[in-house]
Amino acid sequence: MATTALITHPACLSHDPGKWHPECPDRLRTVLAALEAEEFAPLLRESAPLAATEQLTLVHPAEYVDAILSIRPGDGEIVQLDADTAMSAGSAEAALRAAGGAVQAVDAVMEGWAQAAFAAVRPPGHHAETRRPMGFCLFNNAAIAARWAREAYGLHRIAVVDFDVHHGNGTQDIFTADPNLFYGSSHQSPCYPGTGYPHEHGCANNIVNMPLPPYSDGAAFRAAWMGTILPAVDGFAPELLIVSAGFDAHKADPLAQLKLETNDFVWLTRELVALADLHCAGRIVSVLEGGYDLAALAASAAGHVRALMRAT
Ligand SMILES: [Zn+2]
């Protein structure tokens, strides 16, 4: 079994986007509870640090970082940034820990104290653009992790793959003009945020989108990855694989209409681990994105982590 790091922080539970908001603290609680099972005892448990300003500004302009961190709602107060995205008193620290957790996951696999790392953090990140919070996201955790891998460790080619049911418009926007960053995504279409068409292919075919119609099942999902995204990752030959791991394509999820089952996420994770073995000396980093049915999220995240651990 490969050493796998689990990186999280209690501050990620203190981001409260509002009473009825689907991106609720119980999401992370239920994932962490599932990872308390005996089979996960071998996980190397680490506390997510605060991201440093110089890490955040690898993706976001300093003015944007300052603007987000200067929003300091009082206790019980919620500040809406857009219709879906809000901050509470604990949000600034949660966002810094979420980005810091993704950065530390890169450190874990690059420094070699873990082969795989899962950052169980919130708020999620893949909708956040360089200058715009969006879709429950404040900082783009996966994109920051990718740029950090280049900045701190001199990697040349880094891939982010995203199986969240929503297209990661933010990650695509950040990567599209950079031929050494790859972004591959399957997602429901039509669905929020309305981006992610196949003709959006980046400056060097470094963006690969596979939209799936509503009610697509696991077979369609596997075909999209087998036929298009996994071969594109293979061709790109990244030195590090980063996963935007959202579990809202599960059939039980209330936010979209794909029909995946837990085993579909396990299957894809195993395929990604195999690609990491082929190109990245086994290095694979995963960062939690969406997933809004608590039971499906917990079971799917547990299956994902089990596959990262290479447990059978
Ligand atoms: Zn999502």
Side-chain angles (χ1 to χ4, degrees), residues 126-127 164-166 246 248 289-292:
H126 72 155
H127 295 303
D164 190 281
V165 81
H166 303 101
D248 41 9
E289 301 282 1
Y292 304 97

Side-chain angles (χ1 to χ4, degrees), residues 28-50:
L28 182 54
R29 280 193 194 97
T30 193
V31 168
L32 294 175
L35 297 177
E36 285 300 316
E38 180 65 29
E39 63 178 306
F40 297 110
L43 288 171
L44 201 55
R45 289 158 199 269
E46 291 291 327
S47 200
L50 298 167

